[in-house]
Each structure stands twice: as structure tokens, then as C-alpha cells.
Amino acid sequence: MPDLRAFDTPVGTVLARVDGDVVRAQGIPYATAERFRRPLPAPAFAEPFAAVTPAPVAPQPPAAFVDELLPPMQHLAVDEDCQRLTITLPADAHPDERLPVMVWVHGGSYVIGGGDLPIHDAHDLVAEQRVVVVSVTYRLGVLGFLGDGERVPANLGLLDLVEALRWVRANIGSFGGDPDTVTVFGQSAGGDAIAHLMISRGAEGLFRRAIIQSAPLGISRRRARMSRAVLRAVGAVDAATPLEDVLARQLAGTRAGAPFGLRGGMPFGTQYGQDPLPTESRAADAWRAVAPDVDVLIGSAVDEAAMFVRSVPAIAAVSRTRVLRPLVRWWLVRPLSEVVYGRDVRRFRDRHRAAGGHATSYRLLRGTTARPTGAVHMSDLPMLLGGRAAWAGSAFVPERDWPAVDERGRRIRTVWAEFARTGRVTAPDDDTITFDRG
């Protein structure tokens, strides 16, 4: 029988599991939604809710490329009813403490992933830094990020995230968190979602700070034509369409996005001009309007695009040749990394500052190996979340390199937690990460 701790919240009693020096409240429903319908707040618990089961992942297609890179994942349930969150807090937190709250939004190109995957375990961040971390699972792909805005609402996954933040605002104080010191942080599509949460109707005042990691902002614009093509390819799906058919149609939609170049690498995503987002022509003004109210830490890695080289056989073969590898890096990886990730970090930072907001940008220089290598997409994750059990031995972190990665990770976790507390970064630059503090 697990060691349980009871938390009395505005939505009822939650029973959480004590796990050494942290407490985990897993799989708490924050919303309910029928397929292709907007989320509604989850009802209060009539009986104590045993939060001891990880959140299910949203339905998603197989991702062989990702499976090759990441360590084997423990089995998680798959369920369309995936609007769940998990809270991790220090086991010795006092009831009257008001600890900084960090809400994690996972990445995965808006089609794969889940908040409770082992690589997103917040144990080290929570235990070292005395913060409360909330990991959110939300709808993906056709079920969460398509929609025509008429028959099927668009941006349903984004609306899920807004509802999760409302739940956090109302309930996190019962877990020792400070609802007035909420930082949203996320990587890749998760970072892109956070940038758009900043200008989402209904999200006003729900978070004070945002950490945007490796967001593909360079391919988040001018997507309307591609979205229409993807919608046509997917065709008519509704509440009665079998799930396997929905995922098959999602694959057809993915193929329809391919002719649109780099944007086709992320065919599902946020859609401007559909609730809760402004039109694309007004998005920049919306970001300027919220700048004074949200502190931002935003950045990317120097060689983001190198992770995707493995998916193109010809380029992968060339990159294995010692003589040609530098050419691939300087003539392909670096320019692509700038176009998709790096260039828009500077644009976002400069616009935010010019509008009266505080923004710090960073550049991740080193990968997750003991010997110096360029940092690729997802190089930041093993230094923030997951820990040795999730990462060591994967394609990202050779087992022998884990001690070096963990040492650098402690510094990164300290920086992220300091920003969550204060909105500032005071750590010096080093060979892993550098900052532009303005």
C-alpha cells in the first residue's frame, strides 16, 4: 500500500503518493471534453480522488524516428480523455509555504508525447530547487490541433492548456504553490504553445513568467494555406469515427503538409484567427500588449536541426564521414537551425523588450555528452527533467556521460528555478549556455 498524503482543495480531497523526497499527485482531471468539443472544467470530486496513476497520453501515431532516439518508455494508457495533470512538490513542504509554480508543457510537434512520460519526470528539479512542478497532458493532432473553426473548433489543445492553467490558478495553493508566481515552461511545440498562450483569450493573468525552449517560431507563421490542405486531406471526421480511422486520416493530413516545405514538418499546430488566438496580422501587437505583464526567458540550441539529420538517409550517411561532417554542420544544420529556431528568438526578445517587457535570451552551446559537441534539438531536456533512469543509455546520453550531464544539469535547473522565482537570470555564462540579458 503506497504512503498517501491528503490535500484538501477547492475541487475536493486529492490523495497523493509520497515518493522519497517528493510527493506526486498524478493524473488529476482538470477538464472534460467530448471529441471535437471545447473543454469544460472537470467536476469536483464527490469522494477523495486517488491521484496515483500517471496521466494517459493522447491518441497518437507511431513515431519510429523518435523511438530510435529516446530511451524505451514505460507503458502509459492511451485515452482521448487525456486532460489530466500531475503535480510534484517537495515532501517537506509546509502547508503555509507559497513555492514558485512551474507548469510544464511537453513538445512533440503537436502530434506525440505526454506530460507523464518518464523523460518529463520533475523529481530533480523539485527536490533541488524547492519548486512545485505541474506537468500537463492535452489533446494532439487531428483531435487537438486542426479544426475548421466552424464544424470543428480549432486550437482545442491550446484551449485545454488554458483550462489547465485555470485549474492551477484555483487549486495549486492547496499543494503549497503560489498562484501568483506561476511560470509556464516548455520545449519545441510546447514552447510554441507557450508563446501563443501569452496571446490567448482567457489566459490573461494565469501566469507571470514564460520559458520558451527551442520553439519552432520560424515555421509558426503563414500556415493558413497548409492548414486548408491538411483539412481537405483529413476529410470529414466526427465523434463516431473510429479512432484508428482518425489516426489514419491524420497520416493523410501529414502527407498533405509535406509540399509546404519546412512548415510541413509540423503540419498540425496553432491557427491564428481561431479562438483563442487573434488574427495573424494582429499577433505581433498582441505580444506587445502583454509584454509588461509576462517575464520571458527564450532561447535555442546552436545545432537544433542536427537531430533531424538522422531522418534523411543521404544526409545521415554524409554526416558519418569525418571529412564531410563539418560541411553538413555549417552549410545545412546551422542555417536551418537559424531559420526555424534561432532567428525568431532574437525577434521575440527584441519586440518584448521594446514593448516594455523583461526578456532574457539564451543560447545552448553544448550537447549532452562528456566531450564538447554542438547542442541539438532536445539537448536541454536531459539537463532539466527525467533524470538518469530515463535518459542514461539513450541516443542522447551515453551511460558513461551521465555524471557530466548531471553536473551541467544542476546549473541549468538552478537558472530555470531562479527565473521562476524572480524573473531574472544572474548566473554567469559558461561553456554550456550563454545569455543576453539586455
Side-chain angles (χ1 to χ4, degrees), residues 321-339:
T321 305
R322 180 173 296 182
V323 175
L324 299 179
R325 189 180 304 139
L327 296 179
V328 173
R329 185 181 189 187
W330 291 105
W331 292 96
L332 179 64
V333 169
R334 285 284 170 94
L336 274 177
S337 300
E338 274 294 291
V339 169

Side-chain angles (χ1 to χ4, degrees), residues 166-420:
R166 288 175 177 152
W167 193 99
V168 169
R169 177 73 182 177
N171 295 280
I172 203 64
S174 301
F175 297 88
D178 183 354
D180 293 321
T181 311
V182 173
T183 298
V184 284
F185 71 127
Q187 186 267 350
S188 193
D192 184 77
I194 286 168
H196 289 93
L197 282 170
M198 290 175 61
I199 56 173
S200 289
R201 191 178 303 108
E204 302 88 351
L206 296 181
F207 55 94
R208 181 68 187 85
R209 299 184 177 104
I211 304 177
I212 301 169
Q213 303 169 216
S214 300
L217 297 174
I219 59 174
S220 290
R221 301 184 300 272
R222 298 186 293 278
R223 296 170 57 88
R225 284 184 60 242
M226 182 179 70
S227 294
R228 290 193 294 269
V230 173
L231 273 165
R232 286 193 299 270
V234 169
V237 289
D238 57 31
T241 306
L243 180 58
E244 57 268 26
D245 291 349
V246 173
L247 293 179
R249 289 172 182 249
Q250 180 168 313
L251 180 59
T254 300
R255 289 194 294 263
F260 290 86
L262 290 176
R263 291 175 182 82
M266 192 174 74
F268 300 91
T270 53
Q271 294 187 58
Y272 292 110
Q274 305 280 2
D275 192 44
L277 292 176
T279 61
E280 187 163 1
S281 63
R282 300 184 65 181
D285 286 339
W287 272 306
R288 292 186 185 97
V290 301
D293 302 320
V294 181
D295 300 325
V296 168
L297 174 60
I298 184 171
S300 65
V302 291
D303 292 317
E304 295 272 359
M307 193 189 88
F308 306 104
V309 163
R310 293 172 60 122
S311 66
V312 183
I315 300 175
V318 170
S319 67
R320 284 193 290 268
T321 305
R322 180 173 296 182
V323 175
L324 299 179
R325 189 180 304 139
L327 296 179
V328 173
R329 185 181 189 187
W330 291 105
W331 292 96
L332 179 64
V333 169
R334 285 284 170 94
L336 274 177
S337 300
E338 274 294 291
V339 169
V340 179
Y341 303 98
R343 184 173 59 191
D344 278 78
V345 165
R346 297 185 293 276
R347 289 174 174 169
F348 199 102
R349 175 199 68 197
D350 293 346
R351 179 184 61 218
H352 200 79
R353 289 174 179 170
H358 180 81
T360 298
S361 65
Y362 71 85
R363 194 163 174 81
L364 194 67
L365 305 177
R366 274 187 78 166
T368 47
T369 57
R371 63 186 179 85
T373 58
V376 306
H377 196 62
M378 291 179 64
S379 285
D380 48 350
L381 286 191
M383 294 188 285
L384 278 172
L385 301 167
R388 184 172 197 151
W391 288 104
S394 72
F396 272 91
V397 188
E399 178 72 40
R400 68 181 181 277
D401 290 349
W402 180 256
V405 173
D406 186 51
E407 180 183 354
R408 294 202 300 278
R410 288 177 183 272
R411 296 201 298 271
I412 298 295
R413 292 189 291 272
T414 299
V415 170
W416 262 232
E418 179 195 32
F419 181 81

Side-chain angles (χ1 to χ4, degrees), residues 56-109:
V57 297
Q60 52 197 266
F65 169 60
V66 175
D67 290 342
E68 290 176 6
L69 293 173
L70 297 180
M73 295 297 166
Q74 69 183 30
H75 177 73
L76 293 177
V78 178
D79 197 333
E80 289 190 53
D81 182 22
C82 65
Q83 291 93 345
R84 310 292 180 95
L85 56 81
T86 287
I87 304 168
T88 307
L89 62 144
D92 62 352
H94 301 296
D96 58 348
E97 278 194 88
R98 287 295 175 263
L99 299 175
V101 179
M102 302 182 70
V103 178
W104 172 249
V105 181
H106 72 81
S109 298

